[in-house]
Amino acid sequence: MFSWLSAFDIAWMAWTLPVAIFFGSIAVALLILTYLAVRYPETPRRGILRISTTRGDRFFITLLGSAFINLFWIAFSVALGFTEIGLWGALGLSAVYGIAVFRYV
Amino acid sequence: MKPYNNRAWFLVLPVFLIVAFSAILPLMTVVNYSVQDTFGNNEFFWNGIGWFKELLDPKSELGGRFIDAMGRNFIFSFLILAIEIPLGIAVALAMPRQGIGVSISLVLLALPLLIPWNVVGTIWQVFGRADIGLMGWALTGMGIDYNYVSGVLAAWITIIMMDVWHWTSLVVLLCYAGLRAIPDAYYQAARIDGASRWAIFRAIQLPKMNRVLVIAVLLRFMDSFMIYTEPFVVTGGGPGNATTFISIDLVKIALGQFDLGKAAALSLVYNLIILTVCWVFYTIMTHFENAERRMQS
């Protein structure tokens, strides 16, 4: 029944579990945001950045900022001479940053 | 403010599907490549954040290349904006306001915008050659040592002049549209007050061009920061690495050396920078619009 699916060879996409989890969680977050937008409509508000943002905007700012937090984490660790770099610290920092963004921006 | 009705977003679904195939799936693939190594044949090996460590380490080969290329990108974009924006405003101010001159100048200005990038590159490559190109021949004839193949300065001047030639028109057209939207009453009031030409520009024309200028800066920054075709055709990134911008280096790494992992990590960081700048500009733009709307209401 699903044999036609094998016609789509996606080996070139080289999927890995961490990347799948990464995109999966973004997709889930987007679904949650969509549900919230439908169930609890909101008005944009203005926070410390003086720009009006919705939940979606704040989510975008969180993702963008987290990417930079992770990159700077790696860059600083390399500069300090670490060879084994764990990203859990960067993830924690991103979470704190994300909460702050949703709370104050 | 009343809450947004978001149902119109469903109309975006077809576009979303197209974008999924043209952008999202490739993006996912690039993220996958950035954490793996490959020797071809669709065989991949887990490398974790190895490529990112190398990329963000200025002492490594890849990191050094990245920092250098990014520096060149920012210098190029800065020069482009510093030349094209004032020049575009000046040309727009000098353009005729009525009569046949309007159509003639608009058509002439639009011409460079209609030429494909690689053709622009080829035009300037020939134009700058000392043996058959008008500019190269004339400069050499005047005793100026101009050779964009071997001289770093000549190569930079050539690609910057090329970009100015190609894209200043866009700034001009945007500014001209902004200027045309100013009602005559403003100028009459200024004339009654005896305002100088400079005062009119500072107090009326520049503020009214605010929004189109933000758009112009955004478009010109993005385009110049992502520049690939023109320097690739004219200088190929040379002499040495003098005009190797990130995009040119990226293609060298991905297709020349077939280092998909390195290229993927590099393109993700490159993409992130562009995305951030885009977001900042977009936010400023919408901020302006909202402020204007509040002032009107």
Side-chain angles (χ1 to χ4, degrees), chain A residues 12-16 18-19 23 43-44 46 50-51 60-61 67-68 71 78 83 85 87, chain B residues 1 4 25 28-29 31-33 36 42 44 46 49 53 56-57 272 275-276 279 283 287 294:
Chain A
W12 58 272
M13 286 187 79
W15 276 103
T16 55
V19 176
F23 279 113
T43 49
R46 304 173 82 207
R50 312 295 303 142
I51 52 172
F60 178 76
I61 296 170
F68 280 105
L71 286 179
V78 168
T83 44
I85 302 170
L87 283 178
Chain B
M1 271 185 271
Y4 286 129
L25 289 185
M28 288 171 161
T29 311
V31 177
N32 276 314
Y33 287 175
Q36 296 177 89
N42 274 344
F44 291 90
W46 178 251
I49 57 170
K53 275 199 286 198
L56 298 170
D57 180 6
L272 214 57
L275 195 61
T276 310
W279 177 78
T283 308
H287 192 69
R294 264 197 305 277

mmCIF file of all heavy atoms in Angstrom, chain A residues 12-16 18-19 23 43-44 46 50-51 60-61 67-68 71 78 83 85 87, chain B residues 1 4 25 28-29 31-33 36 42 44 46 49 53 56-57 272 275-276 279 283 287 294:
data_model
loop_
_atom_site.group_PDB
_atom_site.id
_atom_site.type_symbol
_atom_site.label_atom_id
_atom_site.label_comp_id
_atom_site.label_asym_id
_atom_site.label_seq_id
_atom_site.Cartn_x
_atom_site.Cartn_y
_atom_site.Cartn_z
ATOM 1 N N TRP A 12 19.716 11.495 0.411
ATOM 2 C CA TRP A 12 20.540 12.704 0.258
ATOM 3 C C TRP A 12 20.285 13.709 1.361
ATOM 4 O O TRP A 12 21.097 14.601 1.599
ATOM 5 C CB TRP A 12 20.274 13.352 -1.106
ATOM 6 C CG TRP A 12 18.832 13.715 -1.317
ATOM 7 C CD1 TRP A 12 17.865 12.917 -1.834
ATOM 8 C CD2 TRP A 12 18.217 14.959 -1.009
ATOM 9 N NE1 TRP A 12 16.671 13.579 -1.863
ATOM 10 C CE2 TRP A 12 16.855 14.837 -1.366
ATOM 11 C CE3 TRP A 12 18.656 16.173 -0.473
ATOM 12 C CZ2 TRP A 12 15.945 15.880 -1.191
ATOM 13 C CZ3 TRP A 12 17.743 17.196 -0.305
ATOM 14 C CH2 TRP A 12 16.411 17.042 -0.657
ATOM 15 N N MET A 13 19.154 13.582 2.048
ATOM 16 C CA MET A 13 18.885 14.530 3.129
ATOM 17 C C MET A 13 19.665 14.185 4.397
ATOM 18 O O MET A 13 19.775 15.007 5.294
ATOM 19 C CB MET A 13 17.389 14.594 3.449
ATOM 20 C CG MET A 13 16.597 15.346 2.397
ATOM 21 S SD MET A 13 14.885 15.607 2.869
ATOM 22 C CE MET A 13 15.041 16.975 3.996
ATOM 23 N N ALA A 14 20.187 12.969 4.443
ATOM 24 C CA ALA A 14 21.088 12.562 5.519
ATOM 25 C C ALA A 14 20.533 12.875 6.900
ATOM 26 O O ALA A 14 21.194 13.478 7.731
ATOM 27 C CB ALA A 14 22.454 13.226 5.342
ATOM 28 N N TRP A 15 19.300 12.428 7.153
ATOM 29 C CA TRP A 15 18.667 12.753 8.437
ATOM 30 C C TRP A 15 19.434 12.166 9.616
ATOM 31 O O TRP A 15 19.909 11.033 9.553
ATOM 32 C CB TRP A 15 17.230 12.242 8.459
ATOM 33 C CG TRP A 15 16.299 13.213 7.812
ATOM 34 C CD1 TRP A 15 15.756 13.109 6.574
ATOM 35 C CD2 TRP A 15 15.843 14.450 8.367
ATOM 36 N NE1 TRP A 15 14.980 14.216 6.311
ATOM 37 C CE2 TRP A 15 15.017 15.047 7.389
ATOM 38 C CE3 TRP A 15 16.051 15.123 9.566
ATOM 39 C CZ2 TRP A 15 14.406 16.268 7.586
ATOM 40 C CZ3 TRP A 15 15.446 16.339 9.766
ATOM 41 C CH2 TRP A 15 14.621 16.901 8.781
ATOM 42 N N THR A 16 19.527 12.950 10.677
ATOM 43 C CA THR A 16 20.068 12.446 11.934
ATOM 44 C C THR A 16 19.040 12.707 13.021
ATOM 45 O O THR A 16 18.217 13.621 12.890
ATOM 46 C CB THR A 16 21.374 13.157 12.317
ATOM 47 O OG1 THR A 16 21.118 14.560 12.337
ATOM 48 C CG2 THR A 16 22.481 12.877 11.321
ATOM 49 N N PRO A 18 19.283 13.962 16.167
ATOM 50 C CA PRO A 18 19.256 15.280 16.836
ATOM 51 C C PRO A 18 18.603 16.362 15.975
ATOM 52 O O PRO A 18 17.827 17.185 16.481
ATOM 53 C CB PRO A 18 20.736 15.590 17.067
ATOM 54 C CG PRO A 18 21.408 14.272 17.080
ATOM 55 C CD PRO A 18 20.649 13.417 16.126
ATOM 56 N N VAL A 19 18.923 16.354 14.675
ATOM 57 C CA VAL A 19 18.345 17.370 13.792
ATOM 58 C C VAL A 19 16.841 17.153 13.656
ATOM 59 O O VAL A 19 16.058 18.117 13.635
ATOM 60 C CB VAL A 19 19.038 17.337 12.412
ATOM 61 C CG1 VAL A 19 18.382 18.324 11.457
ATOM 62 C CG2 VAL A 19 20.510 17.662 12.554
ATOM 63 N N PHE A 23 14.046 19.998 14.538
ATOM 64 C CA PHE A 23 12.978 20.507 13.685
ATOM 65 C C PHE A 23 11.613 20.067 14.199
ATOM 66 O O PHE A 23 10.625 20.803 14.079
ATOM 67 C CB PHE A 23 13.181 20.062 12.240
ATOM 68 C CG PHE A 23 14.178 20.908 11.510
ATOM 69 C CD1 PHE A 23 15.386 20.398 11.110
ATOM 70 C CD2 PHE A 23 13.900 22.242 11.244
ATOM 71 C CE1 PHE A 23 16.313 21.184 10.450
ATOM 72 C CE2 PHE A 23 14.821 23.036 10.597
ATOM 73 C CZ PHE A 23 16.033 22.511 10.191
ATOM 74 N N THR A 43 -3.595 40.540 21.398
ATOM 75 C CA THR A 43 -3.212 41.800 20.765
ATOM 76 C C THR A 43 -1.708 41.959 20.968
ATOM 77 O O THR A 43 -1.185 41.564 22.003
ATOM 78 C CB THR A 43 -3.921 42.992 21.425
ATOM 79 O OG1 THR A 43 -3.755 42.889 22.832
ATOM 80 C CG2 THR A 43 -5.380 43.034 21.073
ATOM 81 N N PRO A 44 -1.038 42.516 19.957
ATOM 82 C CA PRO A 44 0.401 42.726 20.122
ATOM 83 C C PRO A 44 0.654 43.650 21.315
ATOM 84 O O PRO A 44 -0.147 44.532 21.608
ATOM 85 C CB PRO A 44 0.826 43.403 18.825
ATOM 86 C CG PRO A 44 -0.249 43.103 17.860
ATOM 87 C CD PRO A 44 -1.510 42.994 18.654
ATOM 88 N N ARG A 46 3.784 45.924 23.650
ATOM 89 C CA ARG A 46 5.114 46.521 23.522
ATOM 90 C C ARG A 46 5.863 46.350 24.829
ATOM 91 O O ARG A 46 5.364 46.691 25.886
ATOM 92 C CB ARG A 46 4.980 48.005 23.166
ATOM 93 C CG ARG A 46 4.156 48.203 21.911
ATOM 94 C CD ARG A 46 3.865 49.667 21.650
ATOM 95 N NE ARG A 46 4.991 50.300 21.004
ATOM 96 C CZ ARG A 46 5.268 51.596 21.112
ATOM 97 N NH1 ARG A 46 4.514 52.366 21.860
ATOM 98 N NH2 ARG A 46 6.279 52.106 20.482
ATOM 99 N N ARG A 50 10.477 48.280 22.955
ATOM 100 C CA ARG A 50 9.618 49.320 22.395
ATOM 101 C C ARG A 50 9.042 48.943 21.033
ATOM 102 O O ARG A 50 8.659 49.812 20.263
ATOM 103 C CB ARG A 50 10.337 50.679 22.272
ATOM 104 C CG ARG A 50 11.080 51.140 23.503
ATOM 105 C CD ARG A 50 10.188 51.428 24.691
ATOM 106 N NE ARG A 50 9.166 52.427 24.418
ATOM 107 C CZ ARG A 50 7.932 52.368 24.897
ATOM 108 N NH1 ARG A 50 7.567 51.341 25.642
ATOM 109 N NH2 ARG A 50 7.072 53.316 24.630
ATOM 110 N N ILE A 51 9.050 47.649 20.681
ATOM 111 C CA ILE A 51 8.405 47.232 19.437
ATOM 112 C C ILE A 51 7.238 46.340 19.807
ATOM 113 O O ILE A 51 7.268 45.655 20.826
ATOM 114 C CB ILE A 51 9.369 46.449 18.524
ATOM 115 C CG1 ILE A 51 10.021 45.298 19.293
ATOM 116 C CG2 ILE A 51 10.425 47.368 17.939
ATOM 117 C CD1 ILE A 51 10.825 44.376 18.435
ATOM 118 N N PHE A 60 10.138 33.823 17.546
ATOM 119 C CA PHE A 60 11.180 34.024 16.541
ATOM 120 C C PHE A 60 12.422 34.657 17.169
ATOM 121 O O PHE A 60 13.553 34.205 16.929
ATOM 122 C CB PHE A 60 10.640 34.923 15.418
ATOM 123 C CG PHE A 60 11.654 35.222 14.355
ATOM 124 C CD1 PHE A 60 11.991 34.272 13.414
ATOM 125 C CD2 PHE A 60 12.280 36.456 14.316
ATOM 126 C CE1 PHE A 60 12.938 34.543 12.441
ATOM 127 C CE2 PHE A 60 13.224 36.742 13.346
ATOM 128 C CZ PHE A 60 13.551 35.778 12.408
ATOM 129 N N ILE A 61 12.203 35.676 18.009
ATOM 130 C CA ILE A 61 13.335 36.336 18.669
ATOM 131 C C ILE A 61 14.074 35.339 19.550
ATOM 132 O O ILE A 61 15.306 35.319 19.614
ATOM 133 C CB ILE A 61 12.842 37.546 19.496
ATOM 134 C CG1 ILE A 61 12.232 38.590 18.576
ATOM 135 C CG2 ILE A 61 13.973 38.164 20.299
ATOM 136 C CD1 ILE A 61 11.494 39.699 19.310
ATOM 137 N N ALA A 67 20.158 30.743 18.722
ATOM 138 C CA ALA A 67 21.168 30.320 17.749
ATOM 139 C C ALA A 67 22.478 31.043 18.023
ATOM 140 O O ALA A 67 23.554 30.427 18.046
ATOM 141 C CB ALA A 67 20.689 30.612 16.331
ATOM 142 N N PHE A 68 22.381 32.355 18.271
ATOM 143 C CA PHE A 68 23.599 33.121 18.539
ATOM 144 C C PHE A 68 24.222 32.730 19.872
ATOM 145 O O PHE A 68 25.442 32.673 19.993
ATOM 146 C CB PHE A 68 23.311 34.616 18.493
ATOM 147 C CG PHE A 68 23.250 35.142 17.095
ATOM 148 C CD1 PHE A 68 22.037 35.455 16.496
ATOM 149 C CD2 PHE A 68 24.410 35.297 16.354
ATOM 150 C CE1 PHE A 68 21.985 35.921 15.192
ATOM 151 C CE2 PHE A 68 24.375 35.750 15.057
ATOM 152 C CZ PHE A 68 23.162 36.067 14.478
ATOM 153 N N LEU A 71 26.154 29.653 19.204
ATOM 154 C CA LEU A 71 27.373 29.928 18.428
ATOM 155 C C LEU A 71 28.431 30.586 19.292
ATOM 156 O O LEU A 71 29.609 30.227 19.247
ATOM 157 C CB LEU A 71 27.037 30.821 17.230
ATOM 158 C CG LEU A 71 26.297 30.140 16.077
ATOM 159 C CD1 LEU A 71 26.013 31.139 14.975
ATOM 160 C CD2 LEU A 71 27.119 28.988 15.517
ATOM 161 N N VAL A 78 35.991 27.563 22.381
ATOM 162 C CA VAL A 78 37.167 27.337 21.542
ATOM 163 C C VAL A 78 38.264 28.329 21.905
ATOM 164 O O VAL A 78 39.437 27.973 22.045
ATOM 165 C CB VAL A 78 36.785 27.467 20.047
ATOM 166 C CG1 VAL A 78 38.025 27.519 19.183
ATOM 167 C CG2 VAL A 78 35.913 26.301 19.618
ATOM 168 N N THR A 83 38.538 21.541 24.358
ATOM 169 C CA THR A 83 38.396 20.704 23.168
ATOM 170 C C THR A 83 37.055 19.978 23.187
ATOM 171 O O THR A 83 36.417 19.814 22.159
ATOM 172 C CB THR A 83 39.532 19.669 23.080
ATOM 173 O OG1 THR A 83 39.736 19.096 24.370
ATOM 174 C CG2 THR A 83 40.814 20.322 22.593
ATOM 175 N N ILE A 85 33.370 20.244 24.003
ATOM 176 C CA ILE A 85 32.408 21.298 24.291
ATOM 177 C C ILE A 85 31.018 20.697 24.372
ATOM 178 O O ILE A 85 30.535 20.082 23.417
ATOM 179 C CB ILE A 85 32.435 22.382 23.194
ATOM 180 C CG1 ILE A 85 33.842 22.977 23.075
ATOM 181 C CG2 ILE A 85 31.421 23.476 23.498
ATOM 182 C CD1 ILE A 85 34.016 23.866 21.879
ATOM 183 N N LEU A 87 26.933 21.362 24.828
ATOM 184 C CA LEU A 87 26.047 22.480 24.539
ATOM 185 C C LEU A 87 24.915 22.609 25.544
ATOM 186 O O LEU A 87 24.030 23.439 25.379
ATOM 187 C CB LEU A 87 25.470 22.345 23.120
ATOM 188 C CG LEU A 87 26.441 22.727 21.994
ATOM 189 C CD1 LEU A 87 25.792 22.501 20.658
ATOM 190 C CD2 LEU A 87 26.884 24.167 22.131
ATOM 191 N N MET B 1 -6.182 48.429 20.626
ATOM 192 C CA MET B 1 -6.100 47.639 19.391
ATOM 193 C C MET B 1 -7.026 46.447 19.460
ATOM 194 O O MET B 1 -7.116 45.801 20.499
ATOM 195 C CB MET B 1 -4.668 47.157 19.202
ATOM 196 C CG MET B 1 -3.813 48.125 18.423
ATOM 197 S SD MET B 1 -2.184 47.437 18.114
ATOM 198 C CE MET B 1 -1.297 47.960 19.562
ATOM 199 N N TYR B 4 -6.240 40.512 16.138
ATOM 200 C CA TYR B 4 -6.161 40.164 14.728
ATOM 201 C C TYR B 4 -7.040 38.964 14.434
ATOM 202 O O TYR B 4 -7.123 38.036 15.223
ATOM 203 C CB TYR B 4 -4.719 39.808 14.355
ATOM 204 C CG TYR B 4 -3.805 40.987 14.265
ATOM 205 C CD1 TYR B 4 -2.596 40.997 14.938
ATOM 206 C CD2 TYR B 4 -4.148 42.088 13.482
ATOM 207 C CE1 TYR B 4 -1.738 42.075 14.851
ATOM 208 C CE2 TYR B 4 -3.300 43.163 13.395
ATOM 209 C CZ TYR B 4 -2.103 43.159 14.082
ATOM 210 O OH TYR B 4 -1.266 44.217 13.991
ATOM 211 N N LEU B 25 12.881 22.144 2.993
ATOM 212 C CA LEU B 25 13.568 20.856 2.878
ATOM 213 C C LEU B 25 15.066 21.030 2.640
ATOM 214 O O LEU B 25 15.872 20.380 3.306
ATOM 215 C CB LEU B 25 12.929 19.998 1.770
ATOM 216 C CG LEU B 25 11.542 19.436 2.092
ATOM 217 C CD1 LEU B 25 11.064 18.516 0.984
ATOM 218 C CD2 LEU B 25 11.552 18.679 3.415
ATOM 219 N N MET B 28 16.601 21.990 5.968
ATOM 220 C CA MET B 28 16.752 20.836 6.858
ATOM 221 C C MET B 28 17.951 20.000 6.435
ATOM 222 O O MET B 28 18.727 19.520 7.274
ATOM 223 C CB MET B 28 15.484 19.981 6.828
ATOM 224 C CG MET B 28 14.303 20.619 7.525
ATOM 225 S SD MET B 28 12.820 19.675 7.201
ATOM 226 C CE MET B 28 11.779 20.271 8.531
ATOM 227 N N THR B 29 18.105 19.825 5.131
ATOM 228 C CA THR B 29 19.230 19.041 4.633
ATOM 229 C C THR B 29 20.551 19.680 5.030
ATOM 230 O O THR B 29 21.481 19.005 5.474
ATOM 231 C CB THR B 29 19.146 18.933 3.103
ATOM 232 O OG1 THR B 29 17.834 18.526 2.758
ATOM 233 C CG2 THR B 29 20.151 17.947 2.566
ATOM 234 N N VAL B 31 21.119 21.618 7.550
ATOM 235 C CA VAL B 31 21.359 21.420 8.983
ATOM 236 C C VAL B 31 21.884 20.011 9.231
ATOM 237 O O VAL B 31 22.813 19.802 10.016
ATOM 238 C CB VAL B 31 20.070 21.679 9.789
ATOM 239 C CG1 VAL B 31 20.308 21.395 11.262
ATOM 240 C CG2 VAL B 31 19.610 23.111 9.614
ATOM 241 N N ASN B 32 21.311 19.032 8.522
ATOM 242 C CA ASN B 32 21.806 17.653 8.656
ATOM 243 C C ASN B 32 23.261 17.549 8.225
ATOM 244 O O ASN B 32 24.060 16.885 8.888
ATOM 245 C CB ASN B 32 20.948 16.710 7.805
ATOM 246 C CG ASN B 32 19.687 16.274 8.526
ATOM 247 O OD1 ASN B 32 19.739 15.910 9.683
ATOM 248 N ND2 ASN B 32 18.566 16.337 7.843
ATOM 249 N N TYR B 33 23.598 18.173 7.109
ATOM 250 C CA TYR B 33 24.984 18.108 6.625
ATOM 251 C C TYR B 33 25.950 18.747 7.616
ATOM 252 O O TYR B 33 27.088 18.323 7.742
ATOM 253 C CB TYR B 33 25.114 18.835 5.279
ATOM 254 C CG TYR B 33 24.511 18.114 4.109
ATOM 255 C CD1 TYR B 33 24.474 18.709 2.847
ATOM 256 C CD2 TYR B 33 23.984 16.831 4.240
ATOM 257 C CE1 TYR B 33 23.921 18.052 1.764
ATOM 258 C CE2 TYR B 33 23.429 16.176 3.165
ATOM 259 C CZ TYR B 33 23.396 16.786 1.925
ATOM 260 O OH TYR B 33 22.853 16.145 0.859
ATOM 261 N N GLN B 36 27.533 16.459 10.085
ATOM 262 C CA GLN B 36 28.084 15.194 9.599
ATOM 263 C C GLN B 36 29.220 15.437 8.611
ATOM 264 O O GLN B 36 29.416 16.537 8.121
ATOM 265 C CB GLN B 36 26.978 14.384 8.904
ATOM 266 C CG GLN B 36 25.873 13.981 9.850
ATOM 267 C CD GLN B 36 24.774 13.242 9.127
ATOM 268 O OE1 GLN B 36 24.806 12.047 9.002
ATOM 269 N NE2 GLN B 36 23.809 13.987 8.626
ATOM 270 N N ASN B 42 26.305 9.370 -0.649
ATOM 271 C CA ASN B 42 25.260 9.409 0.372
ATOM 272 C C ASN B 42 25.637 8.682 1.655
ATOM 273 O O ASN B 42 24.784 8.192 2.377
ATOM 274 C CB ASN B 42 23.945 8.831 -0.161
ATOM 275 C CG ASN B 42 23.138 9.895 -0.887
ATOM 276 O OD1 ASN B 42 23.416 11.084 -0.737
ATOM 277 N ND2 ASN B 42 22.163 9.483 -1.667
ATOM 278 N N PHE B 44 27.180 9.151 5.301
ATOM 279 C CA PHE B 44 27.468 10.252 6.209
ATOM 280 C C PHE B 44 27.952 9.733 7.548
ATOM 281 O O PHE B 44 27.554 8.650 7.983
ATOM 282 C CB PHE B 44 26.209 11.108 6.403
ATOM 283 C CG PHE B 44 25.825 11.869 5.164
ATOM 284 C CD1 PHE B 44 24.970 11.306 4.229
ATOM 285 C CD2 PHE B 44 26.316 13.142 4.925
ATOM 286 C CE1 PHE B 44 24.627 11.990 3.079
ATOM 287 C CE2 PHE B 44 25.981 13.830 3.786
ATOM 288 C CZ PHE B 44 25.135 13.262 2.856
ATOM 289 N N TRP B 46 28.722 10.913 11.634
ATOM 290 C CA TRP B 46 28.395 11.895 12.664
ATOM 291 C C TRP B 46 29.639 12.690 13.065
ATOM 292 O O TRP B 46 30.693 12.143 13.334
ATOM 293 C CB TRP B 46 27.815 11.174 13.886
ATOM 294 C CG TRP B 46 27.480 12.091 15.011
ATOM 295 C CD1 TRP B 46 28.131 12.191 16.198
ATOM 296 C CD2 TRP B 46 26.410 13.014 15.071
ATOM 297 N NE1 TRP B 46 27.537 13.133 16.986
ATOM 298 C CE2 TRP B 46 26.478 13.662 16.316
ATOM 299 C CE3 TRP B 46 25.391 13.385 14.184
ATOM 300 C CZ2 TRP B 46 25.573 14.647 16.705
ATOM 301 C CZ3 TRP B 46 24.503 14.362 14.556
ATOM 302 C CH2 TRP B 46 24.596 14.976 15.802
ATOM 303 N N ILE B 49 29.316 18.910 16.685
ATOM 304 C CA ILE B 49 29.508 20.335 16.393
ATOM 305 C C ILE B 49 30.932 20.603 15.897
ATOM 306 O O ILE B 49 31.416 21.716 15.959
ATOM 307 C CB ILE B 49 29.211 21.204 17.630
ATOM 308 C CG1 ILE B 49 30.085 20.779 18.812
ATOM 309 C CG2 ILE B 49 27.740 21.143 17.991
ATOM 310 C CD1 ILE B 49 30.022 21.749 19.971
ATOM 311 N N LYS B 53 32.922 24.166 15.545
ATOM 312 C CA LYS B 53 34.108 24.483 16.349
ATOM 313 C C LYS B 53 35.209 25.018 15.445
ATOM 314 O O LYS B 53 35.884 25.990 15.778
ATOM 315 C CB LYS B 53 34.599 23.227 17.083
ATOM 316 C CG LYS B 53 33.881 22.988 18.394
ATOM 317 C CD LYS B 53 34.667 22.055 19.285
ATOM 318 C CE LYS B 53 34.611 20.619 18.833
ATOM 319 N NZ LYS B 53 34.998 19.655 19.863
ATOM 320 N N LEU B 56 34.279 28.557 14.014
ATOM 321 C CA LEU B 56 34.308 29.681 14.940
ATOM 322 C C LEU B 56 35.669 29.855 15.593
ATOM 323 O O LEU B 56 35.827 30.654 16.506
ATOM 324 C CB LEU B 56 33.223 29.494 16.007
ATOM 325 C CG LEU B 56 31.801 29.465 15.438
ATOM 326 C CD1 LEU B 56 30.804 29.045 16.487
ATOM 327 C CD2 LEU B 56 31.435 30.814 14.867
ATOM 328 N N ASP B 57 36.647 29.083 15.132
ATOM 329 C CA ASP B 57 38.004 29.218 15.656
ATOM 330 C C ASP B 57 38.848 29.971 14.624
ATOM 331 O O ASP B 57 39.217 29.415 13.598
ATOM 332 C CB ASP B 57 38.583 27.819 15.899
ATOM 333 C CG ASP B 57 40.003 27.898 16.449
ATOM 334 O OD1 ASP B 57 40.458 29.011 16.737
ATOM 335 O OD2 ASP B 57 40.627 26.832 16.585
ATOM 336 N N LEU B 272 22.195 32.971 9.178
ATOM 337 C CA LEU B 272 21.766 33.531 10.461
ATOM 338 C C LEU B 272 22.034 35.034 10.502
ATOM 339 O O LEU B 272 21.201 35.819 10.977
ATOM 340 C CB LEU B 272 22.526 32.828 11.584
ATOM 341 C CG LEU B 272 21.790 32.607 12.888
ATOM 342 C CD1 LEU B 272 20.527 31.824 12.642
ATOM 343 C CD2 LEU B 272 22.671 31.867 13.858
ATOM 344 N N LEU B 275 19.546 36.704 8.226
ATOM 345 C CA LEU B 275 18.220 36.656 8.839
ATOM 346 C C LEU B 275 18.097 37.727 9.921
ATOM 347 O O LEU B 275 17.078 38.429 10.020
ATOM 348 C CB LEU B 275 17.997 35.258 9.435
ATOM 349 C CG LEU B 275 16.585 34.878 9.813
ATOM 350 C CD1 LEU B 275 15.711 34.902 8.583
ATOM 351 C CD2 LEU B 275 16.570 33.491 10.429
ATOM 352 N N THR B 276 19.153 37.870 10.744
ATOM 353 C CA THR B 276 19.118 38.846 11.829
ATOM 354 C C THR B 276 19.005 40.266 11.290
ATOM 355 O O THR B 276 18.166 41.048 11.741
ATOM 356 C CB THR B 276 20.397 38.723 12.692
ATOM 357 O OG1 THR B 276 20.570 37.364 13.030
ATOM 358 C CG2 THR B 276 20.283 39.567 13.938
ATOM 359 N N TRP B 279 15.629 40.904 9.935
ATOM 360 C CA TRP B 279 14.624 41.072 10.986
ATOM 361 C C TRP B 279 14.723 42.468 11.591
ATOM 362 O O TRP B 279 13.706 43.130 11.825
ATOM 363 C CB TRP B 279 14.802 40.002 12.066
ATOM 364 C CG TRP B 279 13.853 40.173 13.187
ATOM 365 C CD1 TRP B 279 12.535 39.818 13.197
ATOM 366 C CD2 TRP B 279 14.118 40.790 14.445
ATOM 367 N NE1 TRP B 279 11.973 40.167 14.390
ATOM 368 C CE2 TRP B 279 12.919 40.773 15.174
ATOM 369 C CE3 TRP B 279 15.258 41.353 15.026
ATOM 370 C CZ2 TRP B 279 12.826 41.299 16.453
ATOM 371 C CZ3 TRP B 279 15.161 41.872 16.292
ATOM 372 C CH2 TRP B 279 13.961 41.839 16.999
ATOM 373 N N THR B 283 11.779 45.109 11.380
ATOM 374 C CA THR B 283 11.174 45.627 12.606
ATOM 375 C C THR B 283 11.187 47.157 12.608
ATOM 376 O O THR B 283 10.185 47.794 12.952
ATOM 377 C CB THR B 283 11.948 45.103 13.833
ATOM 378 O OG1 THR B 283 12.046 43.695 13.723
ATOM 379 C CG2 THR B 283 11.247 45.465 15.118
ATOM 380 N N HIS B 287 7.933 49.441 12.546
ATOM 381 C CA HIS B 287 7.865 50.361 13.672
ATOM 382 C C HIS B 287 7.540 51.767 13.180
ATOM 383 O O HIS B 287 6.665 52.450 13.705
ATOM 384 C CB HIS B 287 9.207 50.350 14.412
ATOM 385 C CG HIS B 287 9.168 51.039 15.732
ATOM 386 N ND1 HIS B 287 8.467 50.526 16.801
ATOM 387 C CD2 HIS B 287 9.716 52.191 16.161
ATOM 388 C CE1 HIS B 287 8.598 51.338 17.832
ATOM 389 N NE2 HIS B 287 9.351 52.358 17.461
ATOM 390 N N ARG B 294 -0.172 55.924 14.026
ATOM 391 C CA ARG B 294 -0.634 56.480 15.283
ATOM 392 C C ARG B 294 -0.723 57.992 15.200
ATOM 393 O O ARG B 294 -1.619 58.617 15.743
ATOM 394 C CB ARG B 294 0.328 56.083 16.413
ATOM 395 C CG ARG B 294 -0.136 54.863 17.177
ATOM 396 C CD ARG B 294 0.563 54.744 18.495
ATOM 397 N NE ARG B 294 2.017 54.740 18.343
ATOM 398 C CZ ARG B 294 2.723 53.659 18.041
ATOM 399 N NH1 ARG B 294 2.105 52.514 17.870
ATOM 400 N NH2 ARG B 294 4.022 53.726 17.909
#
